[in-house]
Amino acid sequence: MENKKPSFGEYLMKGAVVRNPVLIQLAGICTVAAVSSSLYSGLFFSAVFTAVTLLNCLFASLFLKKVQRPVRVIFYLFVSLAVICPLMYLFEVKGTGLGETVRLYLPLLAVNSVTAVHCEQFAVKHPPLDSVKDAISVSIGYSAVMIALSLVREVLGRGELAGRKLPGNFALPGLLMPFGSFVILGFFAVGLKWYISRYQPEMYEETAVNIKTARLNFREKEESGEAPETEASPEEQAAFLFGNEAEDELFTEFWVENPLNSENIVENIAALTQKNEQFGNEAQERMNELLGRLDRNLDFDKKDDK
Amino acid sequence: MLGDLVITALYTAFFQNLVLSFAFGASEAVRVSLKPRSLMIFAAMISGFSVVTSAVCYPLERFTPVGSFPDSLRVPVYAAVLAVTYFAAAFIFKKVLRASSQIMTNLGIAAVNTLVLAVPFVNRRAAYSFAACIGSGIGAGAAFVLAAVLISKGVGKLSQNEDIPRVFKGTPALFLYVSLISLAFACFAGNTVFA
């Protein structure tokens, strides 16, 4: 089958909408919740975020593929600071007053989780052009949330729009606190999920990400007496077999590529054992423990010998 | 000195919870709360990094020219302190403690996040003493634990509630729940919510 590359529209739909970094992936909440109190600061942070993410993803895709993960994390920090510090310096030299909140939170963009997540999950595994497309789509998703949130908070929290007082004397200052951001983000997330369920129903399941829930689902199936080769998703299987370890790239990739079923269970776990002995053995033990309760046993060694 | 440390730690954790009142490290708190098994170790790592970063940044500010630097130059210094601390911790975890790849991943996330990097800035703005800086680092970890535990418990209840409408399930319900806890902390601090 021909392996067709996704178009930019598909990147955009996935990165900005279905897997929106803030509303669905729960990343970058700190800056979004704290600085989105005026439209100008929202626009400013969106622009800086876009520059930081683009540069980091490009850098990661070009130079960091062979660098170890613990070291890459620090690269992201300093690449981001290469954008942020000159900008801060420029403001300091020009004497343009950055608000107290912006001065505190701007450097924190250097450690925002959206950039790190996308560099790690995508950029270091894909060519530069694809990484740039992903970075643009993610930045659009982040910026859309940031700008919309800033607009709503400024209007409802201050009774202003872009610094101009609106008619009437309406203001709820509580909405300018982080709790106000969380409330509004909650309703934005509702709107997004409604949109996806209505117009992209085939992607709706992708909006629900919860390893703990996945593990519980599988346990419930186990406790209800269903065989382990249920129709649990590969992520559920990985979560069940490895608990928190399932978040490791190796497991996720492995189990998504090799979903568990009654025919291939032994082969899959044996293949995983070859790939990574420690985790492969854990998987064997876990699966046998589960099957033991169902009065069955799998002989992994026997299968290996074949 | 001990009094300073304890009071600042309590203040940072309960009165002005850095996570729920200022949203520092909010993403990490929310994401970790979905994986309760790694919560405590993650919080311990955050506390460790916050304390060490605070302890190193204080004398740097006090006894070297860093104290007179503008913010644009101070930020890379804080980042460098954080990077060195992280590499030292990574070396110990990898070579001495033979930590698993998952723990090494958590270590990276615990070191490089908005909560840990914000602590030296908060210390400087509040003109904390050395003991208070250490207290602030410990309090940051405690604030993180408190926030993550509260969120985790709520998420557990929310995921079992079948009455929640479909589009409110998942992240929307989570955000609304976090907003309520955040509102509670805003009120602890005596903020005017609805003037």
Side-chain angles (χ1 to χ4, degrees):
Chain A
M1 205 174 84
E2 199 186 337
N3 195 6
K4 196 181 156 221
K5 273 199 164 188
S7 66
F8 182 65
E10 286 169 312
Y11 272 106
L12 202 59
M13 177 52 75
K14 198 138 189 172
V17 182
V18 178
R19 305 280 296 155
N20 184 285
V22 182
L23 301 177
I24 304 297
Q25 290 195 311
L26 302 168
I29 300 173
C30 170
T31 44
V32 169
V35 299
S36 57
S37 54
S38 77
L39 186 58
Y40 286 131
S41 58
L43 287 167
F44 176 68
F45 264 75
S46 299
V48 179
F49 172 85
T50 304
V52 162
T53 306
L54 261 174
L55 192 65
N56 261 308
C57 286
L58 192 60
F59 191 81
S61 181
L62 284 171
F63 305 113
L64 299 183
K65 282 180 178 161
K66 300 220 165 125
V67 177
Q68 284 194 336
R69 188 176 181 152
V71 182
R72 288 202 297 259
V73 174
I74 297 300
F75 268 107
Y76 304 145
L77 169 62
F78 284 100
V79 169
S80 304
L81 287 179
V83 175
I84 292 166
C85 290
L87 201 61
M88 289 176 76
Y89 183 72
L90 203 68
F91 279 108
E92 282 161 4
V93 168
K94 286 207 163 198
T96 316
L98 280 174
E100 190 66 15
T101 312
V102 174
R103 267 176 51 202
L104 178 61
Y105 284 88
L106 185 58
L108 302 185
L109 264 185
V111 286
N112 83 82
S113 45
V114 183
T115 307
V117 164
H118 278 268
C119 286
E120 281 301 306
Q121 288 184 351
F122 195 90
V124 290
K125 297 172 190 165
H126 291 86
L129 188 62
D130 291 346
S131 302
V132 167
K133 286 179 189 170
D134 179 64
I136 291 173
S137 62
V138 167
S139 300
I140 290 174
Y142 176 93
S143 303
V145 173
M146 175 69 113
I147 293 167
L149 184 63
S150 306
L151 191 71
V152 173
R153 286 178 82 195
E154 190 177 359
V155 170
L156 297 181
R158 290 181 208 273
E160 294 177 0
L161 180 59
R164 288 188 194 146
K165 197 86 189 146
L166 291 170
N169 197 13
F170 179 80
L172 295 169
L175 288 180
L176 297 175
M177 292 177 204
F179 103 84
S181 299
F182 292 127
V183 174
I184 299 166
L185 284 175
F187 285 102
F188 281 180
V190 171
L192 185 68
K193 288 193 82 165
W194 174 81
Y195 171 83
I196 295 167
S197 72
R198 187 166 177 133
Y199 297 104
Q200 305 286 336
E202 70 283 0
M203 293 184 172
Y204 188 78
E205 287 308 312
E206 291 189 43
T207 63
V209 182
N210 190 337
I211 286 286
K212 185 186 161 205
T213 310
R215 198 182 310 135
L216 284 175
N217 288 347
F218 203 88
R219 284 239 163 88
E220 278 164 16
K221 285 171 188 168
E222 176 201 354
E223 282 161 11
S224 70
E226 284 183 58
E229 53 269 26
T230 57
E231 289 177 4
S233 70
E235 288 82 2
E236 284 180 338
Q237 295 164 5
F240 174 75
L241 284 169
F242 305 106
N244 288 334
E245 305 287 350
E247 291 228 322
D248 190 286
E249 287 166 30
L250 171 69
F251 304 133
T252 314
E253 275 176 21
F254 184 87
W255 289 105
V256 169
E257 282 166 16
N258 307 278
L260 202 64
N261 62 47
S262 52
E263 282 85 39
N264 66 9
I265 177 171
V266 178
E267 284 89 342
N268 275 356
I269 294 183
L272 181 63
T273 313
Q274 278 188 343
K275 202 168 177 178
N276 184 319
E277 194 181 344
Q278 181 199 341
F279 297 124
N281 289 338
E282 274 178 30
Q284 288 184 16
E285 282 172 22
R286 191 83 185 90
M287 190 49 75
N288 263 334
E289 179 196 326
L290 171 64
L291 291 171
R293 281 184 239 161
L294 297 167
D295 290 334
R296 283 202 285 161
N297 232 319
L298 289 174
D299 195 338
F300 294 99
D301 295 335
K302 211 172 179 180
K303 197 78 189 177
D304 256 356
D305 292 342
K306 283 181 190 174
Chain B
M1 189 171 164
L2 188 65
D4 263 7
L5 189 150
V6 174
I7 288 170
T8 313
L10 290 174
Y11 179 83
T12 311
F14 297 103
F15 191 64
Q16 288 277 23
N17 185 292
L18 289 185
V19 180
L20 294 167
S21 301
F22 295 94
F24 295 131
S27 297
E28 285 73 20
V30 169
R31 289 159 74 105
V32 166
S33 69
L34 302 177
K35 302 168 255 171
R37 275 174 58 182
S38 50
L39 197 155
M40 292 316 286
I41 183 144
F42 196 84
M45 287 173 181
I46 285 204
S47 290
F49 284 119
S50 305
V51 169
V52 174
T53 314
S54 299
V56 176
C57 287
Y58 180 82
L60 274 180
E61 291 264 2
R62 188 97 181 178
F63 305 115
T64 69
V66 174
S68 56
F69 281 2
D71 277 352
S72 55
L73 293 179
R74 189 177 292 114
V75 174
V77 175
Y78 290 168
V81 170
L82 187 57
V84 172
T85 311
Y86 167 63
F87 283 133
F91 180 81
I92 294 168
F93 271 75
K94 186 93 184 167
K95 301 288 177 192
V96 181
L97 303 174
R98 309 228 171 256
S100 69
S101 62
Q102 183 60 32
I103 289 184
M104 294 306 292
T105 305
N106 278 344
L107 190 73
I109 303 168
V112 186
N113 66 67
T114 50
L115 179 59
V116 174
L117 190 60
V119 170
F121 287 100
V122 172
N123 294 347
R124 180 182 159 76
R125 268 151 218 254
Y128 282 152
S129 65
F130 182 72
C133 285
I134 303 293
S136 167
I138 297 169
F144 186 85
V145 175
L146 186 63
V149 167
L150 287 172
I151 297 169
S152 179
K153 289 289 168 197
V155 166
K157 296 276 179 204
L158 288 172
S159 64
Q160 290 164 7
N161 191 334
E162 293 301 321
D163 297 330
I164 298 175
R166 187 170 175 243
V167 290
F168 274 83
K169 277 195 169 177
T171 55
L174 179 67
F175 275 123
L176 294 174
Y177 172 71
V178 173
S179 76
L180 292 177
I181 318 175
S182 179
L183 173 63
F185 276 90
C187 295
F188 283 160
N191 288 310
T192 305
V193 178
F194 298 108

